[in-house]
Amino acid sequence: MVASFLFGITFALSQHVLYSRLHHKVPDDLDKRIRLVLYGRALAYCSKITFGGCIILCYRQRIWRTFREYALSVWAIDRLFLATEDLSIFLHWETWGKATLPTIMALVIWLIPIATIIFSPGALTFGLFVEEEVTTLKVPTLNFTAESYKDFRVPVEKNGIKKKSLIFVNTTDPTAKEEGWFDYFDKPASDLERVSLMSAFSLKNQSLNRADARYESCGGDFNCTYTISFNGPGYKCEEVAHGIDDDVKLAKLGAPFNTSYLAPVGRLAYFAMVNIGEYARPQTGVGRQGVPINITDDLGVFKTEPILWIGYSMNTTDPPDSRFADTWTSKYDPYVFSCVHHETTYTVQYDYIGPYFNTSVEYEFKEPIIDTTYARFDDGVVNYDEFVPASAFVSPRENITHYKKTAAYHAVGASLRKFLEGKIEVEPPIPGPTYARPYSDITKTRLVKGNSFPVANLHVELQKFYADMILSLFSAPNLLVVAEQGGVVANTTRYKATFIYTPAKLWACYAPVIFFTFIFLLIGLWTVWQDGTTFSVGFSRIMVTTRNSTLDDISRGACLGNDPFPMELMNTRLKFGVLNDGNEAEYMGSDGLQGPGHCAFGVPAELTPIKRGVPYAGLQLPKARRKEKTE
Ligand SMILES: *[C@@H]1O[C@H](CO)[C@@H](O)[C@H](O)[C@H]1NC(C)=O
Ligand SMILES: *[C@@H]1O[C@H](CO)[C@@H](O)[C@H](O)[C@H]1NC(C)=O
Ligand SMILES: *[C@@H]1O[C@H](CO)[C@@H](O)[C@H](O)[C@H]1NC(C)=O
Ligand SMILES: *[C@@H]1O[C@H](CO)[C@@H](O)[C@H](O)[C@H]1NC(C)=O
Ligand SMILES: *[C@@H]1O[C@H](CO)[C@@H](O)[C@H](O)[C@H]1NC(C)=O
């Protein structure tokens, strides 16, 4: 009994261990997967056999106790012997009434397979779970330094893709042989123009990306989050005027216009001057193959990066100032800001979730790309055609790597600036009608809302707009600046189809089984101790416990054991005990004293109860003890 119980627990634990090992794992081989599942079921079957076996042993012990305590009909006795194969025991009131405990044990024996074989394998399922990992990935990044080393004469190929520069250049010598030759910036390359156009015209508040960006960046069908950091161009914008007549600072900075241009004083809702000092194209007269005819000293030299001077006026719901009340019905609030092109360290967090992605961008502005300002005439008036200091100019003849990178930055900036230049005029409501007249490409971008007025906080939105344009370069992996950065730490999540083990489910099946088996085991052991002997239900046991002449009498005429059996016999009540007239010669002790009693089934009247320790026929007791008991 005890061994059975312990084996049962061992099998249950083995099943637990097997399932724990399979948890969140999946063997690639389908056959192996099936085999592992079958192993689990085999263990469930083994534990059913052992737990069931333990209870059956206890049950057998216990029914003999019942036979001794109650006179039961032959019918009920039959049922008790057959309980493990025949369900009719549970339909019989007599078994429930008189043999309650054995009947409950029999019920548990019948229920064990349901818990173990049927339900316990249900603790292991096959399904999707979210796998979270911290890994290092190889992700796309931008490397503008790569532009420094690009020579248009030498094609760069990577992974079979021809890498393209952000800039087109002209040269003084296409063969690169002449003394003192140099290449100089021509214009932004077509790929850059395309990307900036698509990004600017996109109404999504987001950068463009390649369609398979998540697969490529996250290294498979994952969701992932990572942060990259790179240097690129960025516009550092600063609000320099807010409100009517806030012009002092503007004049000091040499702004080309002031708030008087903007509504309500002026008639503009938006005004931008973003091309002061723009790189001239052509630089000089060009001949064949873009070779300049006469090479001047400042050919190809970047003297400045144009400052963005942008003014806009916001319509408000407040009433207008009294001095504008005769033309405006609401208060217009003018702003002017300036943006200077800086080399910027971008820290971008990419969140790929499902088909979408989010970016959050942080900027750290470093030094201006070209650190020059407007020159002034002797009377202090700003000279928008000259820039100082000349030492900060970037020339294509010296420091070529710096020149090429500057040219790339300049090209990206120029791609933005072409959307900003221009103005939006607004007609005052009095005398009316009021309407806006756009003369700028900015109205085609998301920086202008449907009502033809720029969005609020334009100087902040513009920086984001520019950052999105730069990040959109990722949508063109054939660009030279799109590089790869390895070893980026990323959090990845994905759905994975694996085995999923729920220990609670397994133990919910086994806990009641173990509990009842343990209780019955204790009852069984207690009964064995009380009875002083063990009992079984084999044919031999039936044979020796029915050697009673009364039984011979009542069973006369039913010797074949055939069905149906005479009802009269089935209803006879029998009990197990010591036969009163059991002192026949064969049971007498050899010494002639009172011999061991004869135990058998019989009618209650002829029986006395069996007592523990009394040496009935068939019990082998140590001689000394037998003697002691017989005294
Ligand atoms: C950027 O490109 C340059 C030139 O190809 C290379 O030397 C540098 O290591 C790259 N930087 C990064 C961060 O990949
Ligand atoms: C603003 O600009 C207008 C037109 O150029 C000019 O007449 C006016 O004096 C300027 N105001 C200030 C304060 O500089
Ligand atoms: C470069 O050369 C082309 C002709 O090949 C010319 O149209 C263009 O203006 C030149 N660019 C500059 C910046 O001079
Ligand atoms: C400006 O705002 C006022 C008040 O909200 C509104 O009545 C007026 O139509 C607006 N003007 C324009 C041009 O949208
Ligand atoms: C990625 O995240 C989204 C949103 O949380 C979710 O719907 C999707 O199932 C996730 N995909 C994977 C592969 O984890």
Side-chain angles (χ1 to χ4, degrees), residues 197-241:
L197 194 75
M198 283 168 63
S199 167
F201 286 0
S202 158
L203 290 181
K204 267 193 264 173
N205 224 342
Q206 198 177 37
S207 62
L208 307 175
N209 214 334
R210 45 196 292 196
D212 58 354
R214 184 169 68 94
Y215 265 71
E216 288 294 311
S217 308
C218 301
D221 186 12
F222 292 95
N223 279 350
C224 73
T225 299
Y226 61 83
T227 304
I228 52 170
S229 182
F230 60 86
N231 283 344
Y235 271 111
K236 185 180 183 182
C237 295
E238 223 178 337
E239 194 175 284
V240 285

Side-chain angles (χ1 to χ4, degrees), residues 36 369 500 515-516 552 579 609 618:
L36 286 167
I369 289 170
I500 295 171
F515 173 75
F516 281 112
D552 288 344
L579 280 179

Side-chain angles (χ1 to χ4, degrees), residues 570-608:
M570 291 307 276
N571 289 327
T572 316
R573 292 185 173 277
L574 295 181
K575 197 174 173 182
F576 185 55
V578 186
L579 280 179
N580 284 337
D581 53 349
N583 46 359
E584 292 154 38
E586 61 175 298
Y587 299 108
M588 297 290 275
S590 55
D591 53 5
L593 292 172
Q594 190 198 354
H598 173 207
C599 300
F601 280 102
V603 290
E606 57 180 350
L607 299 173
T608 54

Side-chain angles (χ1 to χ4, degrees), residues 148 167 182-186 277-280 283 296-306 341 343 367-373 387-411:
S148 293
I167 55 171
F182 60 91
D183 297 341
Y184 61 97
F185 177 74
D186 175 18
E278 181 61 284
Y279 184 84
Q283 287 279 295
T296 54
D297 276 350
D298 58 0
L299 176 68
V301 173
F302 288 112
K303 296 184 176 172
T304 189
E305 270 295 279
H341 216 190
E343 178 156 40
E367 61 276 0
I369 289 170
I370 299 168
D371 198 3
T372 56
T373 53
F387 300 90
V388 288
S391 60
F393 291 175
V394 180
S395 158
R397 301 172 202 237
E398 312 134 18
N399 200 347
I400 293 161
T401 53
H402 180 55
Y403 179 83
K404 287 185 175 168
K405 188 159 125 180
T406 305
Y409 286 166
H410 173 83

Side-chain angles (χ1 to χ4, degrees), residues 246-517:
D246 183 13
D247 293 330
V248 180
K249 198 173 174 195
L250 286 175
K252 222 171 83 192
L253 289 172
F257 63 91
N258 61 30
T259 56
S260 68
Y261 284 55
L262 301 166
V265 182
R267 291 292 176 265
L268 295 176
Y270 171 85
F271 185 57
M273 290 188 76
V274 296
N275 289 328
I276 299 171
E278 181 61 284
Y279 184 84
R281 184 173 189 273
Q283 287 279 295
T284 176
V286 279
R288 213 174 60 86
Q289 285 191 318
V291 177
I293 295 163
N294 57 336
I295 297 168
T296 54
D297 276 350
D298 58 0
L299 176 68
V301 173
F302 288 112
K303 296 184 176 172
T304 189
E305 270 295 279
I307 297 175
L308 312 186
W309 292 105
I310 293 173
Y312 65 104
S313 204
M314 296 298 292
N315 189 8
T316 68
T317 49
D318 298 340
D321 282 6
S322 51
R323 64 188 238 237
F324 303 111
D326 53 350
T327 39
W328 300 94
T329 53
S330 60
K331 185 181 172 204
Y332 274 73
D333 218 1
Y335 298 82
V336 178
F337 63 91
S338 70
C339 303
V340 179
H341 216 190
H342 279 64
E343 178 156 40
T344 308
T345 302
Y346 286 91
T347 308
V348 187
Q349 179 178 322
Y350 269 93
D351 282 319
Y352 285 100
I353 35 175
Y356 311 105
F357 71 97
N358 289 328
T359 48
S360 59
V361 184
E362 276 169 33
Y363 329 83
E364 192 198 315
F365 296 108
K366 294 160 86 180
E367 61 276 0
I369 289 170
I370 299 168
D371 198 3
T372 56
T373 53
Y374 306 127
R376 304 236 173 195
F377 295 112
D378 293 341
D379 57 359
V381 174
V382 180
N383 177 357
Y384 291 114
D385 297 322
E386 301 290 332
F387 300 90
V388 288
S391 60
F393 291 175
V394 180
S395 158
R397 301 172 202 237
E398 312 134 18
N399 200 347
I400 293 161
T401 53
H402 180 55
Y403 179 83
K404 287 185 175 168
K405 188 159 125 180
T406 305
Y409 286 166
H410 173 83
V412 180
S415 311
L416 172 76
R417 288 196 295 272
K418 69 171 183 272
F419 297 104
L420 302 179
E421 183 73 23
K423 61 186 177 179
I424 301 172
E425 290 177 355
V426 59
E427 214 45 51
I430 302 168
T434 176
Y435 49 83
R437 271 194 304 258
Y439 299 100
S440 168
D441 279 346
I442 196 173
T443 52
K444 300 174 188 167
T445 71
R446 59 183 179 276
L447 292 175
V448 167
K449 284 284 149 64
N451 59 6
S452 302
F453 284 88
V455 295
N457 268 328
L458 186 61
H459 66 292
V460 178
E461 295 302 320
L462 183 65
Q463 288 181 35
K464 285 191 208 158
F465 185 79
Y466 191 43
D468 282 343
M469 189 177 275
I470 290 165
L471 292 180
S472 295
L473 293 173
F474 284 121
S475 68
N478 64 335
L479 288 175
L480 188 64
V481 287
V482 179
E484 271 184 332
Q485 187 181 349
V488 174
V489 178
N491 296 323
T492 61
T493 59
R494 73 165 157 182
Y495 286 115
K496 208 174 163 191
T498 60
F499 285 117
I500 295 171
Y501 169 45
T502 323
K505 277 194 200 163
L506 185 85
W507 293 116
C509 296
Y510 276 115
V513 172
I514 293 174
F515 173 75
F516 281 112
T517 312

